[in-house]
Amino acid sequence: MTTELGSPALRLAEIRRVRPEDAARMRALRLEMLADAPLAFLETLADAAARPHNEFAARVAYTSAGSTNAQFIADPGGRLVGHAGGTTAPNEPGLTVIYAVYVTPTWRGSGLVGELIDGVAAWSRACGRSELLLEVVVGNDSAYRAYQRLGFEDTGVRVPHPTIPALNELQMRRTA
């Protein structure tokens, strides 16, 4: 899968599952994600920056294969520009939970988020899971609208934000 982004020069990004050799670039993207959107993720920039590289490398290796966890990246060559992860839901065997969806600001609006979600969805189907779930911070209207455009529907379920008690997240679902 590739995405075109109109700029002075045509740029393409390959959407693929992360590989062990992506660890350093994945760490750089993770730190960017946390700096740019701190409410959207479950760890702080300080905590992630303090984690040794070998922990990032182990996580990337773990999510590069298998059917329980996967990370998909947008790779135009050089710096990574997008990410979406998927994991199993312990109480719903047919469900993949999407996590850590991010597109770097200069690539937003390019369709990359849909391609990243499509990567997770294809992996989910291949693993025998036919439904996707994600959570969005209540009030993050741009993300909410983007997920609606991708076919996700608000379930009406609201859950406390896992790290910031004053916030809630809403759950959205669609078929994989």
Side-chain angles (χ1 to χ4, degrees):
M1 289 181 268
T2 58
T3 293
E4 296 180 20
L5 180 66
S7 280
L10 178 66
R11 297 188 287 175
L12 300 174
E14 176 187 13
I15 307 301
R16 63 173 172 80
R17 193 161 183 184
V18 73
R19 297 188 285 246
E21 61 267 23
D22 295 321
R25 294 187 307 148
M26 189 57 228
R27 181 179 187 176
L29 182 63
R30 179 69 178 174
L31 296 177
E32 176 188 328
M33 292 162 65
L34 294 167
D36 185 46
L39 298 180
F41 306 107
L42 300 182
E43 72 179 327
T44 67
L45 176 59
D47 288 344
R51 237 182 324 132
H53 176 74
N54 65 336
E55 286 184 25
F56 275 94
R59 174 72 178 168
V60 167
Y62 173 70
T63 60
S64 69
S67 62
T68 58
N69 275 289
Q71 293 185 63
F72 289 83
I73 55 172
D75 184 1
R79 192 172 71 85
L80 300 177
V81 296
H83 175 274
T87 189
T88 57
N91 299 326
E92 287 190 61
L95 179 68
T96 291
V97 177
I98 295 176
Y99 66 90
V101 178
Y102 180 78
V103 173
T104 198
T106 57
W107 283 75
R108 291 180 188 155
S110 68
L112 212 53
V113 73
E115 290 193 34
L116 287 161
I117 297 293
D118 287 347
V120 176
W123 168 77
S124 182
R125 288 188 307 273
C127 296
R129 295 185 299 272
S130 61
E131 192 170 9
L132 304 174
L133 173 128
L134 54 77
E135 295 176 343
V136 180
V137 172
V138 173
N140 186 347
D141 296 335
S142 62
Y144 181 81
R145 286 189 304 272
Y147 295 133
Q148 278 186 316
R149 285 190 297 274
L150 296 174
F152 285 88
E153 295 179 0
D154 189 338
T155 65
V157 174
R158 302 297 183 263
V159 296
H161 189 282
T163 59
I164 305 169
L167 296 177
N168 286 311
E169 294 183 315
L170 58 91
Q171 292 185 348
M172 301 180 83
R173 289 184 181 240
R174 76 160 223 212
T175 58

